[in-house]
Amino acid sequence: MTRFGFLLACALASNLGAQSLTDRFKEVRGPWEVQLERGEAATVRKGVEALLGREGLTVNPSDYNDMHALVALRGLAARACLSEGSWEDAVTHFQKAQSAAEENVTTAEPFLAKSRMEHELKLTEYRSALAKQTPRLKELEEAPGLSQEQMKLRQQLKIFMDEQQAAISHSERALKDIEGIVARLRQAKETTTRTAADWQAFLAAEKAEMAEAGGVAHFVAGKLEQVKGDDARPRQERLTYARRLQKLDPANKDVTRLVNGLLGKEEESEPVKPRKKKPVAKKA
């Protein structure tokens, strides 16, 4: 199942030849999220890193949508690494996500600021034109007995006013969209910066705890009891930490049993050793 899931995810990623990274991410994100929920962290990691290897290095820095998708992909890769216990690799992905998010804000904000200024200038023009023509239209609508030329002018003014109002609505929506984009990009920068720093600090604290416990094996044994007893936590959190312990001490069979139990796998029984046949006594 895991192998099939990985092949499916890779097929989804590779069959979207003409799409942008943003479109590709939308296609594969759902299946990968489901696989992460099922505990197939290694499968998701392979799929995400394969997509990053093909597309991540060629993203145009001026395309803030694709850059935002790149940040999200790095975050997904980091989550997969966390779930499989490879927390050092997760920190690397978080740091790369932070770097991409910072670059995206730096590159996109000047462009978006220019676009915002253009729309604000247009709004001033459109509103000024409306203010100028509104009294003329009102005068024509209230005047009795309009000539043919006056009726034609009134119709032209109505069309003009509708066009100006539509242009105003368009620019107002564009300004709102720009505001939303800037907020989203800044939020991604803040989140990735904080997350990368938090996990770096967590790894440093873990290293200190190992030293205090007297080595990796003692540290893992102590934490294992905590994870076993903390059954009020969600299964995914317990599985993530159990896999971390397994990554730190692969020889610990109790950790392996806990991981398998959280995954719903049946414990493999010890192979039955064949009985040695007694030698047949020779007749005298």
Side-chain angles (χ1 to χ4, degrees), residues 56-86:
L57 300 177
T58 59
V59 172
N60 186 346
S62 65
D63 188 333
Y64 54 80
N65 283 318
D66 274 3
M67 286 292 288
H68 192 64
L70 178 61
V71 172
L73 271 171
R74 287 289 181 194
L76 187 57
R79 285 172 53 207
C81 290
L82 290 176
S83 187
E84 73 169 11
S86 304

Side-chain angles (χ1 to χ4, degrees), residues 9 11-12 34 40 48 66 82-84 88 92 97 104 136 138 149 152 177 182 196 211 222 230 256-257 277 282:
L12 282 170
V34 171
E40 300 173 17
V48 179
D66 274 3
L82 290 176
S83 187
E84 73 169 11
E88 293 83 1
T92 299
N104 201 17
R136 293 186 63 195
K138 185 179 180 181
E149 285 298 317
K152 183 178 178 181
D177 289 343
V182 171
D230 198 7
T256 301
R257 277 192 285 270
K277 291 183 179 180
K282 291 183 180 180

Side-chain angles (χ1 to χ4, degrees), residues 98-117:
Q98 175 188 351
S99 178
E102 288 174 348
E103 182 180 4
N104 201 17
V105 170
T106 301
T107 304
E109 281 199 334
F111 166 76
L112 292 170
K114 181 181 178 183
S115 182
R116 182 193 292 114
M117 185 175 65

Side-chain angles (χ1 to χ4, degrees), residues 30-201:
W32 281 336
E33 290 286 357
V34 171
Q35 287 175 316
L36 270 184
E37 242 347 273
R38 289 201 301 251
E40 300 173 17
T43 301
V44 175
R45 179 179 179 178
K46 288 177 184 176
V48 179
E49 288 183 345
L51 181 56
L52 284 168
R54 288 192 305 273
E55 307 294 340
L57 300 177
T58 59
V59 172
N60 186 346
S62 65
D63 188 333
Y64 54 80
N65 283 318
D66 274 3
M67 286 292 288
H68 192 64
L70 178 61
V71 172
L73 271 171
R74 287 289 181 194
L76 187 57
R79 285 172 53 207
C81 290
L82 290 176
S83 187
E84 73 169 11
S86 304
W87 292 0
E88 293 83 1
D89 295 339
V91 169
T92 299
H93 277 296
F94 279 135
Q95 288 172 333
K96 289 181 179 179
Q98 175 188 351
S99 178
E102 288 174 348
E103 182 180 4
N104 201 17
V105 170
T106 301
T107 304
E109 281 199 334
F111 166 76
L112 292 170
K114 181 181 178 183
S115 182
R116 182 193 292 114
M117 185 175 65
E118 290 172 353
H119 280 289
E120 287 172 346
L121 287 172
K122 288 293 183 184
L123 277 175
T124 301
E125 292 176 13
Y126 300 146
R127 287 167 177 159
S128 176
L130 272 181
K132 184 177 180 180
Q133 299 300 333
T134 297
R136 293 186 63 195
L137 178 60
K138 185 179 180 181
E139 182 182 339
L140 287 170
E141 286 181 334
E142 292 177 352
L146 295 179
S147 66
Q148 197 71 24
E149 285 298 317
Q150 287 175 320
M151 286 190 288
K152 183 178 178 181
L153 176 59
R154 183 181 63 181
Q155 185 61 28
Q156 289 173 341
L157 281 174
K158 283 183 177 180
I159 293 171
F160 173 79
M161 301 281 272
D162 288 343
E163 289 175 346
Q164 296 301 297
Q165 191 58 59
I168 288 172
S169 297
H170 169 74
S171 286
E172 286 175 341
R173 285 194 302 270
L175 286 172
K176 189 174 180 180
D177 289 343
I178 290 169
E179 183 180 340
I181 291 167
V182 171
R184 189 168 70 245
L185 299 189
R186 287 177 179 172
Q187 181 63 46
K189 177 184 173 181
E190 292 171 7
T191 300
T192 53
T193 300
R194 183 175 62 252
T195 304
D198 286 349
W199 276 100
Q200 279 182 295

Side-chain angles (χ1 to χ4, degrees), residues 225-244:
E225 294 308 313
Q226 292 181 25
V227 179
K228 281 182 178 179
D230 198 7
D231 54 7
R233 284 189 176 276
R235 181 192 70 92
Q236 195 63 35
E237 285 186 25
R238 298 178 72 214
L239 177 60
T240 294
Y241 205 85
R243 277 179 164 162
R244 175 58 175 173

